[in-house]
Amino acid sequence: MNVLVVGNGGREHALAWKLSQSPNVAKVYVAPGNAGTALDAENVDIAQDDFAALIQFAKDRKIGLTVVGPEAPLVAGLVDAFTAEGLRAFGPSKKAAQMEGSKIFCKEVLNRALVPTARSQTFDNSADAYDYIRASYQNGYVVKAEGLAAGKGVVVCSSKEEAFEAVKQIADDRAFGDAGARFLIEERLVGQEASVLAITDGQTIMTLQPAQDHKAAYDGDSGPNTGGMGAYCPASLVDDRKLHWIEEKILVPTVFTLNRMDTKFKGVLYAGLMMTPQGPRVLEYNARFGDPECQPLLFRLKTDLYEVMEATIDERLGMLDPLVWDDRPAVCVVMASKGYPGKYEKGFEITGLDDAAALPDVKVFHAGTKLDENGVVRTNGGRVLDVVALGDSVADAKRKAYEAVSKIHWEGAWSRSDIADKEIKATSQS
Ligand code: AMP
Ligand code: GLY
């Protein structure tokens, strides 16, 4: 069977790498891919939003399974477009992807399902929002643009003044365009965040091991928000008891409520959670694998992902055996371009990739990279590489990941130096 992965980031490299290991997969293509996917699979020069070209390619190359990595094509209906042509694609329909595409729809589902989440109000104009903030008393506000804004449409505010400013940016200045035509104001929750992802066919839920992302740019969780500077899995913050609770009180009611709304969700349902003193609360749902959480998760997954994806499409996940994991924890360190998450330059030559790849239990997934006409790997984005390592302990995995990072060079390369430290501290105290 031939497989097509749509996207060009570290998540898609990890998906292509994992799928290519399946005995049932003959060939993996990635559209458009990056320099790393060119090594583990074959790149196809088609953009992720060119549905017609993707469909034509899938027909020409007899693609049996297409896996959509990023949210934008899911929300735009790529899976529906494939299905309408009789092609098999993994991921939620356009309607179900609204769980990520519309924060207001997501909130409605959460509230209907009685899933614990931050209290919120919906607005379609700034005047009402200003009135609301003026009249309210709460410990901080979070203002969220309804639509997709590449992870930037959420502003966490400590004061009313900051909340006014955020509303102005989103609603009046339209900093995120139409994504901010409607918006939410939420109570601000406090606690550590965790990512719990589940693969579901709309009936059965296969929960993946909990992971933690590092969204802040700099050490000690300081600096601006990024797409994610590193991740590890499993995250002891979500122990087995909590994971069970999350399945029972969060994932199951969400999937069932979606069914009752005639919106069957098939694909990866990713719960972004805040572990508050009152228990886990849903901050958001995503409709796809997390990036970078996907990289350490798939590096540890022993089960054939192709089988799981096929079973999801056919709605027979319940007939599969439970997922099998490598017992060893995995740590992923993101290497970024100078200036990221602000402005950065592209095109620097990356060296040391072979030395890093030669280390045991290490895999370097590419995110923002590109092969030039001479076959040289160059930087091509803000987050450039995702260096993942397995270890006997989280501390060991961290050491191995940073050893690999130390082998890789380009002008201006940097990474956080404290990925997984919270986990190391938590597990050394228990
Ligand atoms: P979201 O896209 O909704 O996950 O928001 C992005 C980030 O904003 C989250 O990872 C949190 O760090 C933060 N955030 C979102 N909602 C809240 C909330 N209600 N309270 C505190 N922080 C939040
Ligand atoms: N790691 C955060 C995200 O994928 O949205």
Side-chain angles (χ1 to χ4, degrees):
M1 187 63 77
N2 293 335
V3 172
L4 171 65
V5 175
V6 177
N8 65 353
R11 165 182 50 213
E12 287 74 30
H13 188 185
L15 285 165
W17 169 83
K18 179 69 187 161
L19 287 163
S20 69
Q21 290 165 15
S22 168
N24 296 308
V25 172
K27 184 146 194 170
V28 179
Y29 298 94
V30 186
N34 58 40
T37 58
L39 294 174
D40 288 314
E42 187 175 322
N43 287 351
V44 189
D45 192 14
I46 304 176
Q48 64 182 35
D49 59 1
D50 191 347
F51 290 10
L54 291 169
I55 287 170
Q56 195 56 50
F57 179 84
K59 286 182 176 171
D60 292 347
R61 298 301 168 98
K62 305 210 167 12
I63 300 292
L65 170 69
T66 296
V67 179
V68 188
E71 59 275 18
L74 289 169
V75 170
L78 184 53
V79 170
D80 311 60
F82 267 63
T83 309
E85 294 287 334
L87 295 162
R88 291 164 67 80
F90 176 88
S93 66
K94 180 175 182 167
K95 203 170 162 198
Q98 286 302 300
M99 284 297 273
E100 177 160 4
S102 163
K103 289 189 190 294
I104 294 172
F105 174 77
C106 178
K107 204 55 139 185
E108 190 188 321
V109 174
L110 289 169
N111 289 336
R112 277 201 202 191
L114 303 178
V115 166
T117 182
R119 263 179 296 123
S120 74
Q121 285 279 336
T122 301
F123 298 93
D124 62 7
N125 69 82
S126 58
D128 288 350
Y130 292 136
D131 286 347
Y132 172 82
I133 296 166
R134 244 180 245 116
S136 67
Y137 293 93
Q138 54 187 61
N139 200 8
Y141 301 81
V142 184
V143 186
K144 300 185 171 184
E146 176 185 18
L148 292 185
K152 297 195 181 81
V154 174
V155 189
V156 181
C157 311
S158 317
S159 64
K160 291 193 181 204
E161 289 65 37
E162 284 178 30
F164 286 133
E165 180 55 33
V167 169
K168 178 176 171 299
Q169 256 185 33
I170 289 174
D172 295 337
D173 304 347
R174 288 293 174 92
F176 310 106
D178 283 348
R182 296 200 298 165
F183 56 99
L184 291 165
I185 302 183
E186 276 189 10
E187 61 174 328
R188 182 180 178 178
L189 302 174
V190 280
Q192 277 213 62
E193 287 179 49
S195 308
V196 174
L197 285 70
I199 299 178
T200 177
D201 59 4
Q203 301 170 57
T204 301
I205 293 165
M206 262 189 176
T207 310
L208 310 187
Q209 294 217 334
Q212 195 171 51
D213 187 5
H214 293 61
K215 289 205 171 94
Y218 310 132
D219 283 10
D221 289 333
S222 61
N225 246 356
T226 69
M229 294 302 296
Y232 60 85
C233 116
S236 64
L237 178 69
V238 183
D239 57 21
D240 285 350
R241 201 176 52 85
K242 282 209 185 80
L243 191 60
H244 227 85
W245 191 94
I246 290 164
E247 280 176 344
E248 201 182 336
K249 306 284 190 200
I250 293 179
L251 297 172
V252 169
T254 301
V255 169
F256 282 17
T257 300
L258 280 165
N259 281 339
R260 282 205 298 275
M261 293 166 75
D262 198 21
T263 309
K264 183 177 279 181
F265 191 104
K266 290 164 71 168
V268 177
L269 189 60
Y270 161 151
L273 302 168
M274 183 81 92
M275 311 305 282
T276 76
Q278 289 77 36
R281 298 282 182 272
V282 176
L283 296 178
E284 64 165 348
Y285 269 117
N286 294 321
R288 41 140 185 114
F289 278 104
D291 190 346
E293 294 96 320
C294 179
Q295 291 81 311
L297 274 166
L298 293 190
F299 204 44
R300 291 188 56 227
L301 183 66
K302 290 189 162 170
T303 304
D304 183 343
L305 183 64
Y306 172 81
E307 294 280 342
V308 175
M309 291 180 157
E310 287 281 325
T312 302
I313 295 174
D314 295 333
E315 298 180 25
R316 52 177 176 78
L317 261 190
M319 286 157 71
L320 296 195
D321 291 333
L323 297 174
V324 181
W325 300 91
D326 193 315
D327 286 336
R328 294 171 296 170
V331 170
C332 168
V333 178
V334 172
M335 297 183 72
S337 295
K338 182 179 168 193
Y340 177 81
K343 274 171 76 161
Y344 55 83
E345 285 176 45
K346 299 178 186 178
F348 296 106
E349 178 175 355
I350 305 174
T351 58
L353 287 165
D354 290 343
D355 292 342
L359 295 170
D361 302 323
V362 166
K363 175 75 188 170
V364 180
F365 292 115
H366 290 220
T369 68
K370 198 176 175 176
L371 275 182
D372 73 11
E373 53 284 0
N374 302 316
V376 174
V377 181
R378 295 190 180 272
T379 65
N380 192 41
R383 291 191 294 171
V384 177
L385 298 171
D386 307 314
V387 181
V388 189
L390 289 167
D392 294 329
S393 62
V394 181
D396 186 41
K398 176 190 168 186
R399 188 187 54 72
K400 284 172 160 166
Y402 278 104
E403 188 187 345
V405 166
S406 75
K407 309 267 183 215
I408 301 171
H409 303 279
W410 72 85
E411 199 182 316
W414 67 279
S415 58
R416 273 180 66 159
S417 68
D418 65 344
I419 301 302
D421 276 0
K422 264 186 276 179
E423 179 70 10
I424 294 167
K425 202 165 154 216
T427 42
S428 67
Q429 279 167 355
S430 61

